[in-house]
Amino acid sequence: MLNFFALKKIGWAIFTVLFVIVLNFFLFRILPGDPARAGIRDPRLTQEAQQQIRERFGLDKPVINCFESLNPPRLGSCAINPLQTQFFVYIKNLLSGELGISYHTNRPVFDMLRERLWNTVLLIGAGQILSIIVGMALGIVAAWRARTAIDYSALIGSLTAWSLPTFWLGIILLFWGSHNLSLPVGGKLTPGASFPNSWGYVHDALLHMLLPTLTYTIIFVGEYMLIMRSTLLDVLSEDYILTAKAKGLKTFQILKDHALQNAMLPMVTIIALNLGFTVAGAIQIETVFSWPGLGGAIFEAVGRRDYPMLQGAFLLIAVAVVFANLLAELLYSYLDPRIRTET
Amino acid sequence: MLKRILCLTLFALLSAACAAAPAQAPQADTNAATDAGPAVVRIGWAGSPDTLNPGTAVLSEAYTLFELVYDSMYQLQLDGSYTLELADSVDVSDDGLVYTYHIRDGVMFHDGEPLTAQDIAFSYNLYKNQEGFPFLPVYTEFFDTIEAPDDSTVVITLTDAIPNIESQLIFLYVLPEHIWGSLEGQANVEFENTEMIGSGPFKLLEYKQNEFARLGAVKDHFLQGPKVDEVIFQTFENQDALVQALRTGQVDMITEMPNTAAPSLKNAENIQLVSGPPAAPSVTDIILDQVKPENCPPDDGKCTGHPALLDRNVRLALAHATDKQNIIDVVLLGLGSPGLTLIPDSLGVFYNSDLADYAFDIDMANQILDDAGYADTDGDGVREMPDGTNPLIFRMNWPSDSTNAPRMAELLAATWAQIGVKAELQALDPDALTSICCPAFDFDVILWGWGSDPDPNFLLSVMLTDEIPTGNSETGYGNPDYDALYKQQAVELDKDKRIEMVHEMQKIVFDDVVYIIPFYAQSVQAFRTDRFTGWQTDKGKIALEDPSSLLVIEPAK
């Protein structure tokens, strides 16, 4: 039963990724603008040079059978060899693990994504874990001490933090931290610095991570706190909790053995979803702190109509989100057996 | 369960950190071994080179690095003059068609190989023949042959005598043939050039795209070795952070900043703010669609511009109703100078400063329109054409990525409304703007701008009748006198005579009110006075990242 359930879920996940691969291709080609000219308003770019760029990146080929171009929409011959269309070249390259060459930097997209992915996972991952831990802890305390001063201050604090504009909080922390604590203003490491040992390296990296991670944690802690608090409050009003109290169990035991496990279901969903989106980075935080992550790269690629980079990045995000979702569903069925029997 | 997920994630994070660490740590160690207290200049900027390949690079950050790492035949000084760099002398044939350069002895590439005339001829031929290099063939357009008869002579034969070979050669950086020569065709275009072997006063030590570029001094450079040991360009994706990095001393100089930061930096301790014309000339323009029906491009032209803009009186009235100083004060916070024509003040001797600008005078503007017969016949506050039709309502567009244009559009609309002209404001995606602009001429007014070479030839060509169908002409202006002068100056070998012609051309387009130029923006930079001294701030233009500064600065005592 479980195997069938898991197989079905995995099948759906693969289907979703395939769908995204197709969608990715057409999505960016519906955007107005010519990649051979985007970002370069230099009329000295002669017609021949533009043609050369188009040929080089395969943009001179029809988008797909029957369509020369999608924006502006231009019909074309349907009776051409599909392998001579941009779409099938894209699929063929993808199947052989090729993500293409960035129009902007002339570098392989795979290399660019790889460099940036680690940076993003490091920063956003740390921020996520911190905000999950702090958010859940706050949520548990607030729910247990519901309608007390602790609850209200945690609630107000979380709501305030959650509604702060990310870039604003980031820049305020940046000014404060660099001025008062002499923390680095941006980047991942001090460029050109020499480190006598690995501790020096780690120390420098941690200093650079501190402010962006703090910003991320403050912004996202509210989300986890609020969800934890409300689901736990629901659970705590159940009769079996009253029974547990009547049995004379300690607070900690009630929370640990009876309440938390049942309150975890919504949390697992939100954590899994957020972890999936981790690879997309956080454009605003990465921009404020000049963190060389994926978010900034995607932002830049949109402006330059850098199709290969966008396709690669979106594929990566889609795979991460779908995978995280799959993981959540499988976890769900483990946490709550009703789910796998019902489906 | 949750604990297990967290552990797994933590493990993944830690392994990511560990995987990243060893790749970089040894590099840092080697740095430590080689230098005990080197003088390292840290420069902050808001961009990053797109590529290190001089054939395909577009962004100015890439060119800043090329200037430091490569040598060319000529060097452009901040005052706009040229000096020979790789050659110590040049002979020009009487007909101006053959240039014979005598290359200096003892010039070395950073990898220890000598730079010879063969490398120069190889590079120029590569730039000329490689179709995948989008911009550079423009500079070799008039080069018939480039040859190196021996190790120290380069002979360039031109198809036409041109007055500005210096500006053609400054961006043609000399590449080592022993590296680039082995690349065939497309490989030249795809070459990432991460080693970036050149012969300039700095060599590339370390490069991380979108993070930093670290350059080391070549102390025994044949012209002048830098006094500092290293220069690091660090990218800050946000300009407020850039300013803060300067304040806290994490960088020693910043190449740009938001104008809003300038007043506070002016009073900051140990920081000097400098502003002036930029090294790379640029101009902001108000484009008035004045293409005549007979000049409308037959294939691509839509030519829907308002007929009133064809009338010089209307354009003149708009110029008088444009409060340039107010625009400069509001939009640039004063950091700009009022513009005259498309040729900006940063083009030095070519800029005609004798033209007297149209005064901001609403009454005079109203008078001009009254006299020309444009009256508000229906009393709605907007004038109509002299025949009573077609009210003077102009579409005004600008690129949506411009920070200055929206405010400028509002200011223009406000003063133009005082002379009975209504503007309908709308920002457009740059691509959409290009498609309505030219050669479609499907607009009335566009707020945009140009960047330029140190030679005025290109900007002058934008206003030629021949450029209307090509899409280079944005206004659709056509004037046979102007066209004739352009052809003359393009072959005039006497520099003074050429300057005179270029000035005359500016007068023609100024009198015809082809554009309204609201301002020439200044370059605003700042540096720390307690770290390095010797920054070149009084050489006419402001470009502290230029070799002219980086070669001479030294640690402050």
Side-chain angles (χ1 to χ4, degrees), chain B residues 189-370:
Chain B
V189 182
E190 278 162 21
F191 188 45
E192 289 186 29
N193 197 23
T194 45
E195 300 267 319
M196 212 181 175
I197 299 295
S199 57
F202 287 93
K203 62 181 173 199
L204 186 72
L205 296 178
E206 203 183 349
Y207 175 67
K208 285 227 152 61
Q209 189 168 39
N210 285 78
E211 293 183 54
F212 66 92
R214 184 168 150 245
L215 310 179
V218 177
K219 296 278 186 183
D220 56 355
H221 186 260
F222 62 93
L223 276 184
Q224 185 181 9
K227 293 179 178 168
V228 296
D229 298 305
E230 281 186 19
V231 174
I232 294 174
F233 288 90
Q234 189 179 356
T235 300
F236 291 86
E237 286 171 39
N238 127 48
Q239 297 207 348
D240 292 313
L242 191 60
V243 173
Q244 185 67 3
L246 182 75
R247 280 179 188 281
T248 56
Q250 290 175 39
V251 297
D252 307 316
M253 190 274 273
I254 54 178
T255 62
E256 58 200 296
M257 70 180 83
N259 284 356
T260 43
S264 70
L265 276 186
K266 229 175 221 163
N267 304 318
E269 202 182 342
N270 293 331
I271 288 174
Q272 186 177 334
L273 183 87
V274 286
S275 62
S282 71
V283 55
T284 299
D285 54 22
I286 301 172
I287 305 165
L288 307 171
D289 181 353
Q290 55 206 282
V291 67
K292 293 182 185 130
E294 64 266 29
N295 285 340
C296 185
D299 296 330
D300 310 305
K302 293 189 180 154
C303 306
T304 62
H306 197 290
L309 289 171
L310 286 169
D311 184 351
R312 176 184 176 266
N313 288 314
V314 174
R315 303 198 299 268
L316 181 66
L318 292 176
H320 277 297
T322 300
D323 190 351
K324 294 183 184 177
Q325 194 55 51
N326 188 41
I327 293 175
I328 292 169
D329 290 343
V330 172
V331 176
L332 300 179
L333 299 175
L335 295 164
S337 50
L340 294 170
T341 71
L342 215 49
I343 308 300
D345 54 357
S346 41
L347 276 171
V349 289
F350 293 108
Y351 169 66
N352 185 349
S353 57
D354 294 337
L355 302 171
D357 201 3
Y358 302 113
F360 172 59
D361 189 337
I362 295 288
D363 293 338
M364 189 192 287
N366 272 315
Q367 191 62 50
I368 293 169
L369 289 179
D370 287 343

Side-chain angles (χ1 to χ4, degrees), chain A residues 41 43 56 178 185 195 290, chain B residues 29 186 237 250 449 472 474:
Chain A
R41 189 200 167 219
R56 180 154 171 245
S178 61
V185 170
F195 307 111
S290 313
Chain B
D29 285 345
Q186 201 57 24
E237 286 171 39
Q250 290 175 39
N472 280 3
E474 317 160 289

